[in-house]
Amino acid sequence: MNYHWNWAIFWEPSPEGWGSYADMLMSGLYWTLATSIAAWIMALVLGVIVGVLRTMPYRIPAAFAYAYVELFRNIPLLVQMFLWFFVMPELVPEDFGRWLKQMPNAPFYTAVISLGFFTSARVAEQVRAGVDALPRGQRMAGTALGLTLTQVYRYVLMPMVFRIILPPLTSEFLNCIKNSSVALTIGLMELTARARSMQEFSFQVFEAFTAATLLYVAINLVVTFGMRWLEKSVAVPGYIGSSRT
Amino acid sequence: MKRSLIAAAMGLALVAAPAGAEELTGTLKKIKELGTITIGHRDSSIPFSYYDDRQQVIGYAMDLCYRIVDAVRDELKLPDLKVVLNPVTSATRIPLMANGTIDLECGSTTNNLERQKQVGFTITHFVTANRFVSKKANNLKTLDDLKGKTIVSTSGTANIKQINQINAERNLGMTILAAKDHAEGFLMMETDRAAAFVMDDILLYGLAANSKAPNDYVISADALSVEPYGIMLRRDDPQFKAVVDKAMINTYTSGAIEPIYKKWFLAPIPPRGVNLNLPMSEAFAKVVANPTDSGDPAAYK
């Protein structure tokens, strides 16, 4: 292989006018974290609401939740980002559209919104699976005790549902971090975009992508260990997963 | 006695053999052994290297590359040298060149000193300038008109690097967006996400000519910089570079460049029959007169 390795490239000044290539990757890391954490919070809130709606004994909210999930999980994330970024501002009144387009950091907000909606559909499915996994008797017992539907969810169902779905939620959080790289297509300078531009400026492809890979692995390991700790600390003795402590 | 004479003769023969015909090294040796040469091409670098409406790879750089292939064929006396086309993107061209998948990259790659630390470039085949395209209606003529505005350029290009520098140096307070590719950068300008799209002028002409309303756009007269394009090859491969350089110089001095240039820049080109109508720039005319492979923009002024 005719390739000139240059690991010292990270300390060379970047062509952006400030800092080194390492600083450039770090700013990418910052945007990756900002995007994925903001999108994850949005996904959790919306996902739980929609997931719960789907399991409610009412027809219309359940149908709405069903439509929501199918809409956001069946359209590829890349297409969703394009629709939010390029098409949506054309559909709203012109002045509002122009304001949207000229907004500073527009790619960031767009990325958070589309990644948030996309991930929320997947979280909603997991919440629904969690509720369905509980024996029907729990819901009935709650109602028999005279609890309202809200109380049944709040005090009987959801505490167990969250414990059951923690492992798949971990995967979903990791996916959310990795999916944030799709936002490079709408101009968000996150980690992958920074690695790409670093390789185009310097032509040191392998160094750039090795660094990006290691950074992604590092963030994901932190998340994995954090979530595992959370799983253990909230585990109910004698219930699923807790026997392996 | 007899045995030592034979040994001496053999020793002589061993020493003499490489001196007779120059030993092939690097890419030329590989091409000779495999009987194939692989050209890396782009998919939408109009008019340098792109797919036409019949999915054939065509373009100005491709025509030049085929002349290089002819020169290699003559040099190696390989009449049935096979040409393999391999599509590359800006992200894959370096690894594919380094690991020997492609031997030449024919497209619109800027030759600069930083990149020369990693790859080699043959004689410059086009000189472009960094300019911006904007909507005529917005009446943006110079860089100062862009003060405080949102502009876009393609991520990872020399252009965005330069506009970032100018923005910092001259304190213009522009918000600079990075588009994934040229088409998207133009789209951002077209949809008013950005006031201007900063890119190589030749690409801007192509994008504007192929847009829905070519007359709505204007390309700035102000040029921010000069960029030489080169066909890329492996670094530290003097034998192959000598053959390639010779083929390019030959194309320029024999005048063969004229019809090739006319075909791509002054006549309608596939797929949509658009005429870029771009006479040879002064900077490139100089290169044709005095061929150079310099990666220093100062050499083109």
Side-chain angles (χ1 to χ4, degrees):
Chain A
M1 187 138 120
N2 185 331
Y3 187 81
H4 299 261
W5 293 93
N6 178 14
W7 290 103
I9 185 76
F10 297 111
W11 285 268
E12 284 177 24
S14 91
E16 305 264 291
W18 59 272
S20 60
Y21 280 113
D23 293 328
M24 199 168 132
L25 289 180
M26 284 304 140
S27 96
L29 182 65
Y30 167 80
W31 283 110
T32 291
L33 289 175
T35 310
S36 43
I37 290 172
W40 180 241
I41 292 170
M42 182 178 154
L44 266 188
V45 173
L46 286 175
V48 169
I49 295 171
V50 174
V52 166
L53 282 183
R54 259 198 103 166
T55 59
M56 289 264 189
Y58 305 120
R59 253 237 206 97
I60 294 167
F64 162 78
Y66 174 74
Y68 178 98
V69 167
E70 296 307 327
L71 175 70
F72 287 110
R73 79 170 173 183
N74 288 344
I75 303 175
L77 179 57
L78 182 69
V79 177
Q80 289 195 29
M81 290 220 178
F82 265 74
L83 291 176
W84 283 110
F85 195 66
F86 285 117
V87 181
M88 196 268 284
E90 306 298 324
L91 299 179
V92 296
E94 205 177 323
D95 288 335
F96 181 59
R98 181 157 307 135
W99 176 80
L100 270 180
K101 290 178 201 170
Q102 301 288 340
M103 194 166 55
N105 286 333
F108 169 70
Y109 298 119
T110 314
V112 169
I113 287 174
S114 50
L115 186 58
F117 276 124
F118 179 77
T119 312
S120 74
R122 304 173 57 97
V123 171
E125 276 304 275
Q126 283 161 7
V127 170
R128 178 177 76 106
V131 174
D132 287 351
L134 292 176
R136 274 202 304 170
Q138 291 204 6
R139 185 191 291 258
M140 293 171 182
T143 322
L145 282 174
L147 299 179
T148 63
L149 189 63
T150 321
Q151 285 170 329
V152 170
Y153 271 95
R154 169 69 186 83
Y155 296 108
V156 180
L157 302 179
M158 294 320 280
M160 287 330 291
V161 166
F162 281 122
R163 286 176 172 83
I164 294 172
I165 66 172
L166 262 181
L169 276 186
T170 309
S171 305
E172 217 44 70
F173 192 8
L174 300 182
N175 276 342
C176 185
I177 294 169
K178 287 175 283 181
N179 283 342
S180 68
S181 65
V182 176
L184 76 90
T185 60
I186 55 169
L188 181 69
M189 293 310 282
E190 45 68 65
L191 187 52
T192 309
R194 286 295 182 181
R196 272 169 59 122
S197 64
M198 174 178 168
Q199 71 92 6
E200 298 232 13
F201 287 142
S202 65
F203 270 28
Q204 303 297 133
V205 188
F206 296 122
E207 290 87 341
F209 283 109
T210 306
T213 307
L214 293 178
L215 286 172
Y216 275 115
V217 170
I219 314 172
N220 286 355
L221 283 179
V222 169
V223 170
T224 310
F225 283 116
M227 292 294 274
R228 197 162 291 164
W229 171 82
L230 186 65
E231 263 174 58
K232 256 186 203 161
S233 59
V234 299
V236 175
Y239 208 67
I240 44 147
S242 53
S243 55
R244 280 187 288 115
T245 42
Chain B
M1 183 68 199
K2 204 176 180 186
R3 186 179 277 178
S4 66
L5 252 179
I6 294 170
M10 275 174 73
L12 259 179
L14 274 177
V15 176
E22 201 189 339
E23 185 113 346
L24 290 179
T25 58
T27 307
L28 281 184
K29 183 175 172 211
K30 181 193 149 216
I31 294 172
K32 177 102 187 174
E33 277 167 5
L34 297 174
T36 56
I37 180 167
T38 309
I39 293 180
H41 66 85
R42 297 305 195 89
D43 59 355
S44 62
S45 207
I46 301 171
F48 294 94
S49 171
Y50 63 102
Y51 286 111
D52 69 1
D53 38 5
R54 286 168 303 152
Q55 293 299 303
Q56 298 292 313
V57 187
I58 56 167
Y60 172 72
M62 297 305 293
D63 280 4
L64 293 174
C65 267
Y66 285 123
R67 290 184 64 91
I68 295 172
V69 171
D70 287 341
V72 171
R73 185 180 286 129
D74 291 347
E75 177 76 22
L76 296 176
K77 299 183 184 65
L78 272 177
D80 47 357
L81 176 64
K82 267 191 295 191
V83 181
V84 178
L85 296 176
N86 194 76
V88 298
T89 66
S90 53
T92 61
R93 61 190 165 180
I94 301 300
L96 291 180
M97 174 118 310
N99 73 12
T101 306
I102 60 171
D103 301 314
L104 290 167
E105 195 250 358
C106 308
S108 50
T109 300
T110 298
N111 173 1
N112 66 32
L113 298 174
E114 204 168 1
R115 289 173 170 185
Q116 283 181 10
K117 290 180 194 157
Q118 187 60 256
V119 291
F121 289 93
T122 179
I123 307 295
T124 298
H125 65 269
F126 196 81
V127 182
T128 176
N130 191 4
R131 295 178 207 269
F132 64 84
V133 66
S134 59
K135 285 194 173 157
K136 259 183 201 158
N138 292 342
N139 202 21
L140 302 166
K141 294 213 168 64
T142 63
L143 261 185
D144 292 315
D145 293 339
L146 297 179
K147 212 168 198 170
K149 295 218 157 50
T150 301
I151 61 145
V152 63
S153 188
T154 309
S155 85
T157 56
N159 312 75
I160 195 167
K161 161 180 168 179
Q162 201 172 26
I163 195 72
N164 268 308
Q165 279 168 349
I166 292 173
N167 195 21
E169 272 163 28
R170 292 173 48 180
N171 226 345
L172 293 172
M174 295 184 288
T175 309
I176 298 166
L177 297 178
K180 171 180 61 91
D181 55 32
H182 306 320
E184 204 188 292
F186 194 84
L187 182 64
M188 286 200 191
M189 188 276 300
E190 208 173 10
T191 56
D192 293 314
R193 281 246 170 220
F197 175 38
V198 179
M199 195 26 63
D200 294 348
D201 55 2
I202 174 61
L203 297 171
L204 295 181
Y205 281 110
L207 287 164
N210 281 302
S211 68
K212 273 172 277 171
N215 293 323
D216 286 3
Y217 307 106
V218 59
I219 288 153
S220 68
D222 247 16
L224 313 182
S225 77
V226 176
E227 307 241 330
Y229 283 173
I231 290 167
M232 200 164 81
L233 35 91
R234 267 179 288 279
R235 195 172 166 247
D236 300 329
D237 191 357
Q239 222 178 31
F240 184 54
K241 184 169 181 346
V243 175
V244 175
D245 283 357
K246 209 174 102 191
M248 288 294 289
I249 293 172
N250 208 346
T251 304
Y252 290 177
T253 52
S254 69
I257 184 73
E258 298 290 338
I260 299 178
Y261 189 92
K262 267 193 196 130
K263 177 176 161 198
W264 295 105
F265 296 101
L266 294 165
I269 53 168
R272 293 177 54 186
V274 174
N275 186 343
L276 292 177
N277 211 353
L278 199 74
M280 205 180 271
S281 68
E282 212 176 298
F284 183 53
K286 266 190 208 160
V287 175
V288 173
N290 298 301
T292 173
D293 61 356
S294 171
D296 181 5
Y300 298 89
K301 290 223 167 100

